[in-house]
């Protein structure tokens, strides 16, 4: 068993700081600045949004959603074996560092993407996404090793809240640079936006050092290093055989697959929806993104407290019902003011469902296991495959119908299925 003192503030705060470090990627790169920048630099002067990519011609927003889908598919394919190796060798932190530096480096390289080199830009989108999502499984796996189960909900909410706060701070600084470049000694054009991608890389890699310094490298003192590939595979196989005997955990993961597919598609493509369907200006889109992030801080704690009183499943079901309403309302939204109202709803449930999904899973894995990375690979592979499904569905529906409104409406099906499945999940009392 782990020799760590559980609920040590120095360690738990250090763990939360990785949310502070990597969430700037989620906001600046995947939500606010880069999608708008990508859409802008891949649109021709005459308004044509079709791009040529490796012999294919397709809408720029569809290409972007497909690039994200591929990144999550690749991550889902590699993570199970890597987590088995991490559990066998005790090198979770080593893998966390690798993916953090991969993601930060790809964000820094986005500085050189200016539209003409579309293949390079898409490659960096894929690598940055792999770095972000690949690191999450090793990061999440620390939660049951550093805290007692009664702290999971609040600690997970604290991590996400710090992430929202940190990402908003950097985004505001970047927006000032983009909108008032002369204050920073810059000229108008693409340079301020491209510099913002560099700031994400520096922030991510820099603040991650706090996490790397405080998290234990090998809490279970594992010393096995020989035949790590073969034995890592055996470790993974052993964990997956245990999962077969945990029907409650499997039901939760299946429910999570469906409702997370909807959540992530909305998060990744919401700004493109506003730009394309409502023709909202960039400053309005940025305000909406900031509203979502700030409301999400309160949402994470609100639903953590609701779960404390009514249970995790009740809290999750409440949020999923609201997500269904969001998808339906998005089909009918026609004005900027209506979109602001929708953003407040999304923010309220975005923080809550992300933090509570993670802590709920932590409560469902066996209490006496040491293979947390392998168990969380089951969760994070589901996370990645669900994003592939959600973004593919979103992009394909848009391609077939010509409208993102139908894509948003289609996502409600994912939430409804997730709602029906999560009802039967039983979470142990803490």
């Amino acid at each position: 068993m782990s020799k760590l003192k559980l609920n040590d503030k120095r360690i738990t705060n250090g763990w939360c700081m990785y949310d502070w470090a990597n969430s700037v990627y989620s906001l600046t790169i995947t939500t606010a600045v880069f999608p708008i920048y990508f859409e802008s630099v891949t649109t021709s002067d005459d308004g044509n949004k079709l791009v040529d990519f490796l012999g294919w011609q397709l809408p720029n927003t569809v290409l972007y959603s497909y690039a994200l889908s591929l990144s999550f598919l690749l991550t889902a394919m590699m993570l199970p074996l890597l987590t088995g190796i991490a559990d066998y060798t005790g090198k979770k932190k080593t893998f966390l560092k690798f993916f953090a530096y991969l993601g930060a480096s790809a964000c820094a390289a986005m500085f050189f993407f200016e539209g003409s080199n579309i293949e390079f830009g898409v490659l960096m989108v894929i690598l940055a996404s792999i770095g972000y999502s690949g690191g999450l499984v090793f990061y999440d796996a620390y939660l049951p090793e550093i805290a007692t189960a009664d702290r999971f909900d609040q600690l997970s909410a604290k991590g996400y809240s710090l992430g929202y706060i940190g990402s908003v701070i950097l985004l505001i600084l970047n927006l000032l640079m983009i909108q008032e470049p002369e204050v920073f000694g810059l000229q108008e054009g693409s340079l301020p936006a491209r510099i913002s991608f560099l700031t994400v890389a520096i922030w991510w890699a820099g603040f991650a050092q706090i996490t790397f310094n405080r998290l234990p490298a090998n809490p279970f003192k594992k010393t096995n290093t020989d035949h790590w590939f073969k034995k890592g595979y055996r470790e993974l196989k052993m964990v997956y055989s245990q999962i077969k005997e945990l029907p409650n955990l499997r039901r939760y993961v299946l429910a999570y697959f469906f409702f997370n597919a909807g959540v992530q598609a909305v998060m990744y493509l919401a700004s493109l929806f506003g730009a394309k369907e409502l023709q909202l200006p960039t400053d309005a889109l940025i305000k909406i993104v900031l509203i979502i992030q700030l409301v999400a801080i309160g949402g994470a704690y609100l639903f953590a407290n609701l779960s404390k009183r009514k249970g995790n499943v009740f809290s999750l079901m409440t949020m999923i019902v609201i997500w269904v309403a969001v998808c339906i309302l998005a089909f009918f939204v026609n004005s900027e003011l209506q979109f602001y109202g929708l953003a407040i709803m999304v923010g309220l449930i975005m923080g809550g469902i992300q933090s509570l999904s993670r802590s709920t899973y932590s409560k469902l894995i066996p209490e006496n296991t040491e293979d947390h990375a392998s168990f969380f690979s089951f969760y994070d592979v589901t996370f990645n495959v669900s994003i592939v499904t959600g973004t593919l569905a979103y992009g394909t529906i848009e391609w077939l119908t010509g409208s993102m409104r139908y894509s948003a409406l289609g996502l409600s099906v994912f939430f409804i299925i997730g709602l029906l499945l999560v009802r039967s999940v039983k979470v142990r009392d803490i």
Side-chain angles (χ1 to χ4, degrees):
M1 294 296 292
S2 173
K3 303 298 183 182
L4 285 179
K5 177 186 175 183
L6 298 181
N7 303 323
D8 183 298
K9 281 191 175 182
R10 185 177 185 277
I11 294 176
T12 56
N13 288 338
W15 180 82
C16 289
M17 282 302 296
Y18 191 71
D19 264 316
W20 171 282
N22 75 347
S23 290
V24 293
Y25 162 82
S26 295
L27 186 54
T28 298
I29 302 297
T30 68
T31 304
V33 179
F34 188 81
I36 298 170
Y37 175 80
F38 183 90
E39 203 264 349
S40 174
V41 299
T42 55
T43 300
S44 62
D45 293 338
D46 61 0
N48 182 19
K49 297 181 182 295
L50 291 176
V51 294
D52 293 312
F53 180 76
L54 300 178
W56 291 74
Q57 191 173 69
L58 65 169
N60 52 9
T61 52
V62 172
L63 173 61
Y64 184 74
S65 65
Y66 282 1
L68 291 175
S69 299
L70 177 60
S71 71
F72 292 117
L73 181 60
L74 292 173
T75 305
M77 292 170 62
M78 72 175 73
L79 277 185
L81 182 57
L82 294 183
T83 54
I85 295 170
D87 277 332
Y88 175 71
T89 60
K91 293 186 180 297
K92 283 197 301 295
K93 189 158 75 169
T94 299
F95 283 104
L96 176 59
K97 287 181 177 181
F98 170 79
F99 283 105
Y101 292 139
L102 172 66
S105 298
C107 291
M110 287 177 180
F111 174 83
F112 301 101
F113 172 54
E114 298 185 76
S116 57
N117 50 347
I118 185 68
E119 287 81 7
F120 174 79
V122 170
L123 177 61
M124 292 306 105
V125 167
I126 292 171
L127 292 179
S129 178
I130 290 174
Y132 174 77
S133 57
L136 285 179
V137 62
F138 304 101
Y139 168 61
D140 291 343
Y142 270 103
L143 180 56
E145 296 179 2
I146 63 174
T148 52
D150 61 310
R151 305 286 184 92
F152 288 171
D153 292 346
Q154 289 292 329
L155 191 57
S156 184
K158 181 178 181 179
Y160 272 105
S161 295
L162 280 175
Y164 296 135
I165 295 169
S167 58
V168 165
I169 291 172
L170 184 62
L171 180 61
I172 290 174
L173 291 174
N174 283 330
L175 292 181
L176 289 173
M177 180 174 60
I178 292 170
Q179 295 178 350
E180 305 291 340
E182 65 278 0
V183 175
F184 296 85
L186 302 172
Q187 296 181 344
E188 292 186 0
S190 67
L191 182 60
R194 291 189 293 119
I195 290 177
S196 74
F197 308 147
L198 282 176
T199 66
V200 169
I202 295 169
W203 182 290
W204 186 353
F207 282 109
Q209 301 308 310
I210 299 175
T211 302
F212 298 156
N213 288 333
R214 294 189 182 183
L215 284 182
N218 188 1
F220 295 105
K221 309 301 180 186
K222 295 187 177 181
T223 58
N224 300 307
T225 57
D226 59 317
H227 305 294
W228 49 266
F229 187 89
K230 181 179 179 181
K231 292 187 177 179
Y233 173 76
R234 288 180 180 174
E235 195 88 9
L236 177 69
K237 188 176 180 181
M238 180 186 67
V239 167
Y240 274 54
S241 67
Q242 293 181 54
I243 289 172
K244 292 179 181 179
E245 305 301 321
L246 299 169
N248 197 44
L249 183 143
R250 295 203 313 272
R251 281 196 298 271
Y252 174 72
V253 169
L254 184 60
Y256 176 69
F257 169 82
F258 283 101
F259 71 72
N260 188 65
V263 170
Q264 298 299 325
V266 171
M267 287 174 56
Y268 276 90
L269 301 166
S271 60
L272 291 178
F273 180 96
K276 199 167 188 178
E277 293 297 328
L278 301 177
Q279 286 79 51
L280 296 180
T282 299
D283 59 343
L285 291 172
I286 297 302
K287 290 176 184 176
I288 288 168
V289 168
L290 289 173
I291 288 173
I292 291 174
Q293 298 297 308
L294 293 173
V295 174
I297 297 169
Y301 284 110
L302 172 66
F303 286 100
N305 289 328
L306 180 62
S307 70
K308 188 175 182 179
R309 296 195 305 271
K310 295 288 189 177
N312 290 56
V313 172
F314 179 87
S315 188
L316 285 169
M317 289 178 62
T318 301
M319 287 184 282
I320 294 172
V321 169
I322 300 174
W323 275 109
V324 173
V326 165
C327 293
I328 296 172
L329 291 172
F331 183 81
F332 297 101
V333 67
N334 286 306
S335 70
E336 182 176 336
L337 183 61
Q338 291 173 343
F339 202 56
Y340 276 113
L342 206 61
I344 293 173
M345 289 180 65
V346 169
L348 182 67
I349 50 182
M350 182 181 76
I353 204 162
Q354 286 185 296
S355 64
L356 203 61
S357 295
R358 176 170 64 187
S359 60
T360 300
Y361 185 79
S362 297
K363 295 177 181 180
L364 292 173
I365 64 177
E367 295 180 76
N368 59 348
T369 185
E370 294 183 2
D371 295 320
H372 294 108
S374 293
F375 268 102
F376 265 96
S377 77
F378 191 55
Y379 175 82
D380 282 87
V381 165
T382 303
F383 172 85
N384 287 289
V385 175
S386 69
I387 296 178
V388 173
T389 305
T391 52
L392 273 176
Y394 194 100
T396 301
I397 293 173
E398 181 199 353
W399 200 354
L400 293 176
T401 65
S403 173
M404 284 186 168
R405 295 179 184 274
Y406 289 100
S407 297
L409 192 62
L411 292 179
S412 66
V413 176
F414 288 102
F415 288 113
I416 292 171
I417 296 173
L419 177 65
L420 295 174
L421 290 170
V422 82
R423 290 176 58 195
S424 61
V425 174
K426 306 295 183 185
V427 179
R428 67 178 184 266
D429 293 329
I430 303 301

